[in-house]
Amino acid sequence: MNVVIEQSWKERLENEFEKPYFKQVTDFVREEYRTKTIYPPAKLIFNAFDQCPFDKVKVVIVGQDPYHAPGQAHGLCFSVNDGVEIPPSLLNIYKEIHNDLGKPIPKSGNLERWCKQGVFLLNAILTVQAHRACSHQGKGWEEFTDAVIRLLANEREHLVFLLWGAYAQRKGENIDANKHLILKSPHPSPLSANRGFFGNKHFSKTNEYLIAHGKTPIDW
């Protein structure tokens, strides 16, 4: 199947694109876009991959599914387009960065600047119906993103996986902790941020690990 995605990912995921489940998910998603309002815009489904080529990945952040209100989702987990109000979970991420590293809280929720530095912002589910969170759960995207995480974990070394909340932690349970740094905490959502997301110091810990392995730290 010819999938429009950044070339380094395309080469490594070609076998995945030929599997029956992937045809099922693409058939389902095409019909959803044809008949309903779906986010992100179709051309941005693989935006996380396009913004961060396979060999450039240094940090992996795993989200669940895209924002489902108009104008928010653009294919990067936790990120929103410029000019869109910063969602509560992302605001809590910014607050933790501020507390951890002393950086001012940005005015924009667009995280493309992270991607360009090697932060891969992967949602487990890549599409969603408007105003219906998790509406594309169980359609095949999870199998695809499990394969993506497995590929990174097996073929790369010294990556940092930031797994916030039980859902992300289940996605990362087979990553080799001897080969990569795995940082876990509660989710940054207002419902759970006070239970251990705040104070996790994941951003300074990430940079310390990257520096220790000869990589440039992230300017969060």
Side-chain angles (χ1 to χ4, degrees), residues 41-115:
K43 67 179 187 295
L44 295 178
I45 291 173
F46 296 111
N47 195 23
F49 301 81
D50 295 337
Q51 296 269 354
C52 192
F54 180 82
D55 295 320
K56 299 277 193 270
V57 175
K58 295 192 281 193
V59 180
V60 181
I61 300 179
V62 178
Q64 188 161 359
D65 71 335
Y67 296 119
H68 52 83
Q72 289 184 307
H74 64 143
L76 310 174
C77 74
F78 293 106
S79 180
V80 290
N81 286 300
D82 290 315
V84 175
E85 186 179 354
I86 297 172
S89 291
L90 179 54
L91 191 56
N92 285 340
I93 291 169
Y94 281 168
K95 285 176 183 173
E96 176 56 25
I97 292 169
H98 173 70
N99 294 336
D100 187 10
L101 298 170
K103 291 191 166 292
I105 291 175
K107 297 278 191 288
S108 170
N110 189 331
L111 301 179
E112 286 179 5
R113 61 196 172 81
W114 291 4
C115 301

Side-chain angles (χ1 to χ4, degrees), residues 3-5 9 13 16-17 21-22 25-26 28-29 32-33 38-50 61-68 73-78 120-129 132 134-149 167 171:
V3 177
V4 180
I5 192 171
W9 286 106
L13 290 167
E16 216 57 37
F17 296 147
Y21 87 85
F22 195 82
V25 76
T26 49
F28 166 76
V29 166
E32 288 283 286
Y33 274 95
I38 305 298
Y39 301 123
K43 67 179 187 295
L44 295 178
I45 291 173
F46 296 111
N47 195 23
F49 301 81
D50 295 337
I61 300 179
V62 178
Q64 188 161 359
D65 71 335
Y67 296 119
H68 52 83
H74 64 143
L76 310 174
C77 74
F78 293 106
F120 184 50
L121 297 172
L122 179 68
N123 273 319
I125 303 160
L126 297 184
T127 53
V128 70
Q129 188 180 334
R132 290 190 58 209
C134 298
S135 48
H136 286 183
Q137 200 166 12
K139 303 298 184 184
W141 279 134
E142 296 94 334
E143 189 172 343
F144 174 68
T145 51
D146 280 347
V148 170
I149 291 169
Y167 186 90
K171 290 289 281 185

Side-chain angles (χ1 to χ4, degrees), residues 180-212:
H180 304 285
L181 178 63
I182 303 165
L183 295 175
K184 300 178 183 179
S185 83
H187 195 276
S189 150
L191 299 172
S192 53
N194 286 313
R195 296 190 208 137
F197 178 80
F198 289 135
N200 67 20
K201 298 198 177 300
H202 280 186
F203 304 96
S204 58
K205 288 175 182 174
T206 293
N207 281 350
E208 285 161 12
Y209 182 84
L210 293 174
I211 291 165

